[in-house]
Amino acid sequence: NAGVTQTPKFQVLKTGQSMTLQCAQDMNHEYMSWYRQDPGMGLRLIHYSVGAGITDQGEVPNGYNVSRSTTEDFPLRLLSAAPSQTSVYFCGSGSTDTQYFGPGTRLTVL
Amino acid sequence: GNSVTQMEGPVTLSEEAFLTINCTYTATGYPSLFWYVQYPGEGLQLLLKATKADDKGSNKGFEATYRKETTSFHLEKGSVQVSDSAVYFCALSRYNQGGKLIFGQGTELSVKP
């Protein structure tokens, strides 16, 4: 039982490049989410999903896309990376009122 | 709207000191409340939670009581250790909000031997 896994752990991109942050969970949770962590700002919700095929925007969705084709996976796509997207990204997975988080992806956009 | 406010850090304590990290919230209805901990270089771990008024969450010697009358969920520990050095996040979620958490800004705790 791996819980919530995220890949990669570290990534450096150039402005304008695209990439996908992967997130997978093996706990059969309905709810999955993506947050970004920036100094002094806590974690802010980017996108979330309440089940396969259902996604919605969070507080800071601009510049990010998501899809949820299976219960297990919830990838986050950056279509054209910008320096403002330099951050640590956490994927969450959970039930009605409790979220568990992966180890994070540290992304730097130059 | 819903929000969470934590005391600013960093908080520096000596080993075996008493810890309080204040957390207050603004929310309609009856949110669930959480404390998460982030050890250096790691992800977030759920430390404890409370889902209704007057509930006390506890784990690893940490406690927090859901106080609806003061809209607070202060984190306490009677005797901290160096290994408790971390960033602590208070968070809330509304029932059936699909795991949408609203976080405070985090409080860094440093415990010196």
Side-chain angles (χ1 to χ4, degrees):
Chain A
N1 186 336
V4 183
T5 57
Q6 291 184 238
T7 55
K9 288 191 174 181
F10 302 95
Q11 184 70 48
V12 179
L13 292 177
K14 294 181 179 178
T15 297
Q17 288 185 314
S18 63
M19 80 160 294
T20 299
L21 280 63
Q22 301 291 344
C23 175
Q25 53 96 3
D26 60 2
M27 297 172 284
N28 202 32
H29 286 154
E30 288 184 70
Y31 301 140
M32 296 187 74
S33 53
W34 277 102
Y35 293 80
R36 60 178 288 172
Q37 182 182 23
D38 301 294
M41 301 186 73
L43 279 79
R44 293 179 293 169
L45 181 64
I46 304 171
H47 286 285
Y48 67 100
S49 170
V50 299
I54 306 170
T55 64
D56 206 347
Q57 297 181 351
E59 179 185 355
V60 288
N62 291 341
Y64 307 96
N65 282 350
V66 293
S67 60
R68 183 112 178 259
S69 56
T70 67
T71 299
E72 294 78 19
D73 300 297
F74 191 45
L76 178 72
R77 280 180 281 276
L78 284 71
L79 298 179
S80 179
S84 60
Q85 294 178 304
T86 293
S87 188
V88 181
Y89 292 84
F90 289 100
C91 178
S93 165
S95 57
T96 305
D97 66 355
T98 301
Q99 287 278 299
Y100 301 92
F101 290 91
T105 295
R106 184 174 293 275
L107 175 67
T108 301
V109 183
L110 303 176
Chain B
N2 301 323
S3 65
V4 175
T5 302
Q6 293 180 231
M7 64 186 285
E8 289 199 19
V11 174
T12 302
L13 296 174
S14 298
E15 208 164 20
E16 299 184 1
F18 184 87
L19 168 71
T20 300
I21 300 179
N22 291 337
C23 171
T24 57
Y25 68 90
T26 301
T28 55
Y30 301 92
S32 294
L33 301 173
F34 307 85
W35 278 101
Y36 284 85
V37 58
Q38 185 178 33
Y39 297 104
E42 298 185 12
L44 275 78
Q45 299 178 24
L46 177 64
L47 182 59
L48 53 85
K49 72 175 185 178
T51 58
K52 61 183 187 294
D54 299 325
D55 266 2
K56 177 185 284 188
S58 61
N59 186 25
K60 300 181 180 180
F62 291 89
E63 293 183 340
T65 301
Y66 189 140
R67 301 286 189 200
K68 188 161 179 63
E69 63 276 12
T70 55
T71 62
S72 65
F73 193 55
H74 304 322
L75 182 68
E76 297 181 335
K77 186 175 186 183
S79 177
V80 294
Q81 306 300 312
V82 172
S83 57
D84 293 326
S85 298
V87 180
Y88 293 82
F89 292 93
C90 185
L92 69 81
S93 74
R94 297 285 314 282
Y95 179 74
N96 266 344
Q97 287 287 301
K100 292 165 63 176
L101 287 165
I102 296 170
F103 284 88
Q105 75 272 32
T107 301
E108 182 181 358
L109 170 66
S110 177
V111 181
K112 306 296 185 186

